[in-house]
Amino acid sequence: QVQLVESGGGLVQAGGSLRLSCAASGRTFSSYGMGWFRQAPGKQRELVARISSGGGSTNYADPVKGRFTISRENAKNTVYLQMNSLKPEDTAVYYCAARRGVVVQPPEYWGQGTQVTVSS
């Protein structure tokens, strides 16, 4: 069982930056593919970025390419999402997800979510 706790959300103006963190419990964090998903009101949850268990491979959704960066520190059991040049359409609840293995999909575990609101 893995527990995920997100932090770092908040209210920011368009063009600003936020860094989300996701702390994971357990001693085998490096064995899990990790990812960030988001869900805006009235929309389906979507993948934002994912990172392989070893950290050597990352993928991004087209709307965030060049603006968001996912990274992980296995020694700290933490995955990050650095979000720059934020836009109002990035407003959503952001969820951390994990799955044992190289890639995160389909996720096995979810965090509780953290709200990101970007004002215009």
Side-chain angles (χ1 to χ4, degrees):
Q1 188 77 10
V2 174
Q3 292 185 325
L4 306 172
V5 179
E6 302 100 333
S7 61
L11 174 64
V12 64
Q13 289 188 332
S17 298
L18 283 174
R19 188 174 84 154
L20 305 182
S21 299
C22 173
S25 64
R27 288 176 273 183
T28 57
F29 179 72
S30 61
S31 300
Y32 286 80
M34 301 295 296
W36 288 96
F37 293 72
R38 68 185 180 187
Q39 188 166 18
K43 295 188 176 181
Q44 288 189 329
R45 191 172 298 188
E46 62 179 3
L47 175 70
V48 174
R50 64 183 185 182
I51 187 166
S52 60
S53 52
S57 177
T58 58
N59 299 96
Y60 298 90
D62 286 343
V64 308
K65 282 181 181 177
R67 300 188 297 122
F68 290 12
T69 302
I70 189 170
S71 61
R72 66 190 295 163
E73 285 190 75
N74 286 345
K76 294 184 177 181
N77 282 18
T78 302
V79 63
Y80 306 98
L81 185 68
Q82 177 66 44
M83 306 186 294
N84 299 327
S85 302
L86 283 160
K87 304 176 181 180
E89 51 264 44
D90 295 318
T91 295
V93 178
Y94 283 71
Y95 297 90
C96 177
R99 179 180 177 85
R100 179 174 286 277
V102 177
V103 297
V104 68
Q105 289 166 295
E108 292 180 302
Y109 304 100
W110 294 94
Q112 82 287 353
T114 185
Q115 177 70 46
V116 171
T117 303
V118 184
S119 64
S120 57

